[in-house]
Amino acid sequence: MSLQSIKNRFGIIGNSPALNHALDTAIQVAATELTVLIMGESGVGKEAFSQIIHALSARKHNPFIAVNCGAIPEGTIDSELFGHEKGSFTGAVESRKGYFETVNGGTIFLDEIGEMPHSTQARLLRVLEAGEFIRVGSSKVQKTDVRVIAATNRELLDLAQKGKFREDLYYRLNTVPIRVPSLRDRKEDINLLFRKFVVDFSEKYKTTPITLTSEAKKLLAEYPFPGNIRELKNIAEQVSVLTKGDMLDEEEIAKYIPERAQNRLPVLVGHTNQSGDFNNERELLYKLFFDMKKDVTELKKMFVEILQNPNIDVQNTGMINESLITDLPSNYDYRNLKTKNNQPTIVQHSLDNPVILSDDDIQQHEEIADGLMSIASMEKELIIKVLSKHKFKRKDAAIELGISERTLYRKIKDYDLEDDDEK
């Protein structure tokens, strides 16, 4: 069966290379009994691929069922998939067959597999490896012959590395991976899909099919579509219902396209970084952390030095940045150090309004500084361990730490961690 005939049969619209590759893979694997993992964002049509695989397989005349693992409560998903015995839990008034029993000989599509609880993952792994399952509340092992097709909009390997998904199950499911491209990765198909949807809705609502100007088509194709095909279909339906004419220009189609989400992350104002060193939140936080640590460390040194040297001229030592005192009264005096109840007390005062910083204030500042220094020490120890593990191969160490190699290099310099060969 040709690729185009498959598209016509299952209503697949588009000719992008990424889409065609995914379809080719689905067609080739359909005739086998291999487990398939379909990956892609929400709304890209993963279930359609599972139906294609089942329809082209030797199981096509047997049952097919789609199960959304994220929509079933954790307390009942074992019962739904594997069945239960009477009295096995509150409300189990009779025995019930699960999907793996009722779909025996067919195909089960497990959508959003990343949401499946750990205990259920262990049961599923046994089905995949031995074709066996046990009903909830039973000790009898039962056999089943079910082909499993799983789908996820999350990166299962990342979840496995974080302990949120069984790694052995991931590799068992990932026998044949199929990645369905997002709509923004197949922009050439957007207007084809839109045209198909508006024709369908015009028939449904008895209206004239909407057409777009070339500028409107370009604007539509440039929108990122975070909701993928579902979002495009919603826009087409709105246009079909709400538009009075039969032609939309750029200005009119823009009314139906949601505004792009604004980036609310903090930015470095006035700083242009072309190297991409701060291209993620983690590295920006590292930068802010180091700046804050340096500021607090300087404050701590200043307090200690003032306590140890009663006659020090703070303003003239350069320990206080001029930019920090420009807004203070010109008659401000920074140089007095007095005692209160025989305890060191920094006194900053103007001629009219004295301001006293007690030893409690100083202790509070020192505790804050000590806390930040403790965090820095922990980070330094972690970097040393990871560098030692990878024999000072910065690229490998940076990957494990989750930062860029450039950021790691800066930290090595900050902490003076160069190995002996580099010094």
Side-chain angles (χ1 to χ4, degrees), residues 31-62:
T32 72
E33 290 295 314
L34 296 174
T35 304
V36 179
L37 178 62
I38 304 173
M39 296 170 286
E41 297 177 5
S42 179
V44 296
K46 296 187 289 294
E47 185 171 345
F49 278 76
S50 69
Q51 293 172 346
I52 291 173
I53 294 171
H54 174 71
L56 300 181
S57 72
R59 299 172 180 263
K60 60 184 177 181
H61 298 300
N62 295 329

Side-chain angles (χ1 to χ4, degrees), residues 20 26 45 53 84 99 103 113 116 121 131 141 154 163 171 196 200 211 220 233 250 263 281 292 308 325 334 391:
N20 289 341
I53 294 171
H84 64 259
Y99 298 136
V103 187
I113 190 73
M116 180 177 284
Q121 292 176 30
V141 176
R154 306 174 69 182
Y171 288 112
K196 171 65 167 58
D200 290 345
T211 56
L220 190 68
K233 190 173 183 178
E250 181 181 10
N263 184 358
E281 297 173 58
M292 181 172 63
Q308 293 176 346
I325 61 176
Y334 303 88
K391 299 180 180 179

Side-chain angles (χ1 to χ4, degrees), residues 82 223 239 266:
F82 308 105
Y223 178 65
V239 167

Side-chain angles (χ1 to χ4, degrees), residues 268-318:
L268 300 177
V269 179
H271 177 70
T272 302
N273 192 332
Q274 297 179 347
S275 66
D277 194 19
F278 301 109
N279 59 354
N280 58 51
E281 297 173 58
R282 184 195 300 270
E283 296 197 18
L284 181 58
L285 289 173
Y286 273 128
K287 170 65 177 173
L288 296 175
F289 167 77
F290 273 106
D291 289 345
M292 181 172 63
K293 184 193 72 175
K294 290 177 182 178
D295 291 342
V296 176
T297 302
E298 290 301 319
L299 284 173
K300 181 179 179 182
K301 289 180 181 178
M302 181 189 74
F303 279 122
V304 172
E305 189 165 348
I306 291 175
L307 289 174
Q308 293 176 346
N309 300 279
N311 297 318
I312 191 170
D313 187 338
V314 178
Q315 186 173 8
N316 293 331
T317 60

Side-chain angles (χ1 to χ4, degrees), residues 51 87 154 183 198 210 237 262 284 355 382 416:
Q51 293 172 346
R154 306 174 69 182
L183 197 54
V198 294
I210 300 297
E237 186 167 18
Q262 298 296 318
L284 181 58
V355 179
L382 176 61
D416 192 23

Side-chain angles (χ1 to χ4, degrees), residues 193-415:
L193 284 162
F194 181 81
R195 182 63 182 171
K196 171 65 167 58
F197 292 147
V198 294
V199 169
D200 290 345
F201 288 125
S202 68
E203 294 177 357
K204 179 179 179 180
Y205 298 116
K206 310 300 180 184
T207 60
T208 304
I210 300 297
T211 56
L212 302 178
T213 64
S214 57
E215 293 79 10
K217 290 179 180 179
K218 182 178 180 181
L219 180 63
L220 190 68
E222 291 301 319
Y223 178 65
F225 286 101
N228 290 290
I229 295 175
R230 289 196 191 109
E231 185 176 11
L232 177 61
K233 190 173 183 178
N234 290 342
I235 292 175
E237 186 167 18
Q238 292 177 43
V239 167
S240 299
V241 173
L242 301 177
T243 302
K244 295 181 179 179
D246 57 1
M247 174 73 74
L248 282 182
D249 58 19
E250 181 181 10
E251 183 178 351
E252 291 173 320
I253 192 65
K255 298 176 182 178
Y256 298 96
I257 299 177
E259 294 183 6
R260 298 187 183 186
Q262 298 296 318
N263 184 358
R264 301 183 184 277
L265 294 176
V267 295
L268 300 177
V269 179
H271 177 70
T272 302
N273 192 332
Q274 297 179 347
S275 66
D277 194 19
F278 301 109
N279 59 354
N280 58 51
E281 297 173 58
R282 184 195 300 270
E283 296 197 18
L284 181 58
L285 289 173
Y286 273 128
K287 170 65 177 173
L288 296 175
F289 167 77
F290 273 106
D291 289 345
M292 181 172 63
K293 184 193 72 175
K294 290 177 182 178
D295 291 342
V296 176
T297 302
E298 290 301 319
L299 284 173
K300 181 179 179 182
K301 289 180 181 178
M302 181 189 74
F303 279 122
V304 172
E305 189 165 348
I306 291 175
L307 289 174
Q308 293 176 346
N309 300 279
N311 297 318
I312 191 170
D313 187 338
V314 178
Q315 186 173 8
N316 293 331
T317 60
M319 288 189 296
I320 296 181
N321 192 309
E322 291 182 2
S323 64
L324 299 178
I325 61 176
T326 52
D327 295 331
L328 296 176
S330 58
N331 59 356
Y332 222 93
D333 186 356
Y334 303 88
R335 295 176 295 175
N336 293 293
L337 181 69
K338 298 183 179 180
T339 59
K340 179 181 179 182
N341 298 328
N342 296 321
Q343 297 293 328
T345 304
I346 297 175
V347 179
Q348 293 181 333
H349 66 85
S350 65
L351 295 178
D352 302 320
N353 300 305
V355 179
I356 298 177
L357 300 180
S358 68
D359 54 324
D360 291 334
D361 297 324
I362 298 171
Q363 182 179 359
Q364 183 178 8
H365 283 290
E366 290 184 345
E367 287 175 354
I368 295 172
D370 288 340
L372 287 174
M373 294 302 291
S374 298
I375 295 174
S377 299
M378 293 170 64
E379 181 183 57
K380 180 178 179 181
E381 291 179 8
L382 176 61
I383 293 175
I384 291 173
K385 288 180 181 179
V386 175
L387 284 171
S388 299
K389 174 182 176 182
H390 294 283
K391 299 180 180 179
F392 267 78
K393 293 181 179 179
R394 293 173 182 168
K395 183 176 181 180
D396 295 337
I399 291 174
E400 181 166 337
L401 289 167
I403 59 177
S404 72
E405 191 173 354
R406 183 184 181 92
T407 299
L408 178 59
Y409 177 75
R410 186 176 68 249
K411 292 178 181 297
I412 290 174
K413 290 187 64 178
D414 289 339
Y415 289 132

